[in-house]
Amino acid sequence: MLAYTVVGNQNAAALGAASGIVKVETPATTRRAYIFKWTVGPEGIVATDNQFSINIKRQSTAGTWTAATPSPLDEEDAVSLCVGGSNSTAAGTAGVILMSVGINSRAGYTDVSVPGAEFVVASTSAAGIIMEFGVVSAGTDLMTGTLFFWE
């Protein structure tokens, strides 16, 4: 399988249109994406301790995102058939929360899936998996998220 990353960022905001950090989505294709690792952390210096929850969630419609082109981990691999997004401004139709984790704004977090237990993006047009802020205690710190996936 070919492996890729997609990187996005977003200022902390409670659940809503502007809470999405990064996503992987399947366009009109029969290709699935398997997210095997994800990471999130602060971008730059964070002045105060704030607590967030980060959700990994399914989506069934795209919403509005800034385009983020997936990059192959091996530069000789083909271009990804999936699309990426960063910094959502309008929420798509979200489904179930697959994972939620609490973090401090000064710390990062990395999750690596056990082989065979990856987050799978359905091969349906506009289906995707997003990383978003859930609960935000305070602050609007800029956080960067990266999704590692293969297809």
Side-chain angles (χ1 to χ4, degrees):
M1 289 191 215
L2 306 178
Y4 303 88
T5 63
V6 62
V7 179
N9 59 33
Q10 177 69 281
N11 290 92
L15 280 173
S19 67
I21 301 169
V22 65
K23 73 168 180 173
V24 171
E25 175 185 313
T26 53
T29 181
T30 56
R31 183 73 55 108
R32 289 182 174 190
Y34 298 81
I35 299 172
F36 62 89
K37 177 181 174 180
W38 63 270
T39 183
V40 64
E43 187 170 313
I45 298 171
V46 178
T48 59
D49 286 318
N50 296 307
Q51 284 67 47
F52 309 135
S53 66
I54 300 294
N55 297 332
I56 303 297
K57 186 187 276 187
R58 291 195 191 282
Q59 71 169 20
S60 58
T61 63
T64 304
W65 297 71
T66 301
T69 303
S71 298
L73 295 180
D74 180 344
E75 66 182 336
E76 293 186 13
D77 283 346
V79 172
S80 174
L81 295 179
C82 293
V83 296
S86 171
N87 194 358
S88 72
T89 56
T93 303
V96 298
I97 295 173
L98 300 170
M99 181 176 186
S100 186
V101 63
I103 67 168
N104 183 285
S105 60
R106 292 185 180 189
Y109 184 88
T110 298
D111 180 81
V112 179
S113 297
V114 174
E118 301 86 355
F119 299 109
V120 181
V121 179
S123 58
T124 306
S125 180
I129 291 182
I130 67 173
M131 177 191 300
E132 69 175 3
F133 290 103
V135 177
V136 176
S137 67
T140 57
D141 302 312
L142 183 63
M143 302 296 276
T144 297
T146 303
L147 300 174
F148 295 78
F149 67 98
W150 54 63
E151 55 181 41

